[in-house]
């Protein structure tokens, strides 16, 4: 029988979840949904020294905001495999059993080395010009462990409560082969693999043991994670084999790195490209650093995940804007690239702009109205809707609307000096007054009519429309650029426009 598709996102709560982590979660989510499977959130908090308060809640809130919610796991309801926090699972003795099984089968051993012993070993190896000193099949023979000490000595040390760790016994010179859905077959010689610690002296499992035990017990079908975990995959393959559970090993997929915009190295959480690296605002109370979020910067979650999905994956074809449902339909690990994916800040903003354009004017009113209110303005929803319709074309974010539309809500008190200097003279000043008079006589004040009247007045005074267009705009809005002028005029309405034109004449002593 085919294994049920079950993917887990397994972050460590050692800080805010950066966008690389969100991408891992997203790919897991898309694949799970595509195959009608489960998406699980497991919290890997075995390294208590790196635990950061608030990180777990942050992870949960981020997944919620992105709309990629697990259907099982911490914060999302207990399934049949609860608890989903490794520290709690450790209390239940879940991991120790497996470590003991490996010891009993001769594939793991106790090591009593102190940190001084380990330091001394490293120095010795460095002096002997060993490039990557490690605790392995060769060096373990010179260390204090249950392979070099007699049974009696081991027992004595244990009885005396000497602290120890359990290490994986990696064979000396063996080929380890495994398949990665993205990278194909990977072959590593065991000489490059160290005897990883499986259980620490405080009884806590390390990531290596814990995630394997959990993936087995939680019946995970695919283990999907960042490329940085690829070097430890050979140890994991051995652990499955030595537990006699190779058939329970999930399929592996190691995702490509996300690179800096210039392609030079890994994107860091302190990247200076001007765009956020975190989904939500994040304050790290340990380092006292604050990071701005995509949410708070005005991104739509749909735009954010659409952009992330294409960082390292492409469905073929030219389509870039994809709804979550389309992403689910199209997603496969086979189409994830091996090589790093460059983060593109401009493109990221472009995605938001596309989603902004897709929003209906009514939806935009809901988003923009709170900003308008915050500025102390009371405006009719219909009017705000009109403003949204006019300013959305040029914006990437709703939070840009205000700066581009202030003059819809308050009449200008100053006018673009450059334009006045260049365009304002007796003739053009006279033109503004004439238009005000002509407008006063209009019964219907639509864009069409106001434009026709504007042109007719220019003709009557013998001025080219182009000559006065910008000055006319400035007399209404104060600034030289903006949305379609006559639509703006229609929206502001007859009374307001005539007032503004008269004020302009007065302020400029025409
Ligand atoms: N806890 C690991 C991390 O922080 C999970 C790696 C994995 O998915 O196996 O990335």
């Amino acid at each position: 029988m085919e294994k049920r598709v079950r993917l887990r996102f397994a972050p460590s709560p050692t800080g805010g979840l950066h966008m690389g982590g969100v991408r891992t979660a997203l790919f897991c989510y898309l694949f799970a949904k595509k195959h009608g499977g489960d998406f699980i959130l497991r919290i890997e908090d075995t390294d208590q020294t790196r635990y950061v308060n608030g990180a777990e809640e942050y992870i949960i809130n981020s997944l919620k905001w992105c709309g990629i919610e697990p259907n099982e796991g911490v914060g999302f309801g207990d399934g049949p495999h609860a608890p989903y926090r490794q520290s709690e699972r450790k209390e239940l003795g879940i991991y120790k059993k497996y470590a003991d099984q490996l010891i009993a089968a001769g594939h793991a051993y106790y090591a009593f080395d102190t940190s001084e012993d380990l330091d001394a070993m490293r120095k010795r190896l460095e002096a002997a010009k060993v490039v990557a000193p490690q605790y392995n099949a060769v060096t373990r023979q010179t260390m204090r462990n249950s392979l070099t000490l007699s049974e009696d000595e081991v027992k004595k040390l244990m009885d005396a409560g000497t602290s120890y760790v359990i290490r994986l016994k990696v064979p000396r010179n063996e080929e380890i082969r495994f398949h990665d859905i993205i990278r194909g077959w990977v072959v590593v010689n065991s000489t490059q693999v160290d005897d990883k610690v499986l259980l620490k002296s405080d009884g806590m499992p390390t990531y290596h043991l814990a995630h394997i035990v959990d993936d087995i017990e939680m019946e995970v079908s695919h283990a999907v994670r960042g490329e940085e975990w690829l070097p430890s995959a050979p140890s994991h393959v051995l652990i499955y084999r030595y537990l006699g559970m190779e058939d329970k090993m999930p399929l592996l997929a190691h995702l490509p790195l996300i690179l800096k915009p210039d392609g030079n190295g890994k994107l860091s959480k302190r990247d200076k490209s001007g765009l956020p690296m975190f989904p939500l605002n994040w304050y790290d109370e340990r380092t006292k650093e604050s990071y701005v979020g995509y949410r708070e910067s005005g991104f739509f979650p749909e735009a954010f995940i659409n952009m992330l999905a294409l960082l390292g994956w492409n469905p073929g074809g030219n389509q870039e804007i994809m709804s979550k449902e389309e992403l689910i339909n199209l997603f496969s690990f086979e189409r994830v690239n091996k090589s790093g994916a460059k983060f593109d800040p401009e493109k990221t903003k472009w995605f938001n702009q596309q989603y902004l354009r897709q929003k209906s004017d009514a939806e935009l009113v809901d988003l923009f109205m709170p900003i308008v209110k915050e500025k102390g303005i009371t405006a009719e929803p219909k009017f705000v809707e009109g403003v949204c319709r006019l300013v959305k074309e040029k914006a990437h974010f709703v939070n840009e609307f205000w700066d581009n539309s202030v003059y819809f809500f308050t009449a200008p008190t100053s006018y673009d000096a450059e334009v006045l200097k260049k365009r304002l003279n007796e003739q053009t000043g006279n033109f503004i007054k004439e238009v005000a008079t002509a407008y006063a006589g209009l019964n219907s004040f639509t864009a069409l009519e106001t434009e026709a009247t504007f042109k007719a007045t220019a003709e009557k005074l013998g001025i080219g429309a182009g000559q006065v267009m910008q000055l006319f705009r400035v007399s209404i809005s104060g600034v030289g650029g903006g949305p379609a002028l006559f639509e703006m005029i229609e929206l502001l309405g007859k009374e307001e426009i005539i007032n503004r034109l008269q004020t302009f004449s007065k302020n400029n002593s025409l």
Side-chain angles (χ1 to χ4, degrees), residues 8-14 18 21 24 28 42-46 50 86 207 211-212 215 222-226 228-229 236 252-254:
R8 84 301 192 273
F9 177 50
S12 301
T14 54
H18 55 84
T24 304
C28 290
R42 184 170 75 216
I43 297 291
E44 303 208 323
D45 58 348
T46 54
R50 296 181 61 218
Q86 289 185 330
Y207 156 72
H211 92 275
I212 287 178
D215 283 353
H222 297 70
V224 179
R225 55 188 155 230
E228 65 275 20
W229 295 107
H236 304 160
L252 301 178
H254 289 90

Side-chain angles (χ1 to χ4, degrees), residues 247-267:
D247 59 324
K248 298 234 162 64
M249 183 168 131
L251 300 177
L252 301 178
H254 289 90
L255 305 179
L257 292 177
I258 301 181
L259 304 176
K260 288 184 193 157
D262 64 5
N264 233 332
K266 195 173 150 182
L267 187 69

Side-chain angles (χ1 to χ4, degrees), residues 225-327:
R225 55 188 155 230
E227 185 178 295
E228 65 275 20
W229 295 107
L230 192 58
S232 39
S235 319
H236 304 160
V237 172
L238 290 180
I239 298 173
Y240 280 103
R241 185 181 306 160
Y242 295 156
L243 286 170
M245 293 187 177
E246 269 177 298
D247 59 324
K248 298 234 162 64
M249 183 168 131
L251 300 177
L252 301 178
H254 289 90
L255 305 179
L257 292 177
I258 301 181
L259 304 176
K260 288 184 193 157
D262 64 5
N264 233 332
K266 195 173 150 182
L267 187 69
S268 106
K269 62 181 177 190
R270 294 190 186 83
D271 184 73
K272 296 275 180 288
S273 60
L275 280 196
M277 294 290 114
F278 286 83
L280 318 177
N281 276 357
W282 167 245
Y283 173 69
D284 191 323
E285 58 178 48
R286 236 176 16 167
T287 59
K288 310 262 180 286
E289 283 169 300
S290 306
Y291 300 90
V292 186
Y294 275 88
R295 180 180 64 186
E296 291 78 2
S297 301
F299 278 87
F300 299 119
E302 309 89 291
F304 178 53
I305 65 160
N306 192 159
M307 176 281 290
L308 273 185
L310 291 170
L311 273 185
W313 169 76
N314 78 79
N318 296 325
Q319 192 184 353
E320 291 185 293
I321 300 299
M322 283 169 271
S323 67
K324 197 163 75 177
E325 284 61 41
E326 286 173 299
L327 292 172

Side-chain angles (χ1 to χ4, degrees), residues 148-191:
T148 58
L149 301 170
S150 71
E151 232 173 87
D152 257 10
E153 280 171 303
V154 171
K155 187 168 180 320
K156 245 189 254 153
L157 287 169
M158 293 282 218
D159 291 346
T162 315
S163 89
Y164 67 87
V165 299
I166 293 181
R167 283 184 183 271
L168 179 68
K169 189 177 164 201
V170 176
R172 178 136 184 208
N173 183 12
E174 228 176 65
E175 216 168 63
I176 307 169
R177 288 166 65 82
F178 60 93
H179 189 263
D180 180 290
I181 316 175
I182 297 169
R183 286 148 213 279
W185 284 99
V186 181
V187 184
V188 179
N189 190 284
S190 66
T191 40

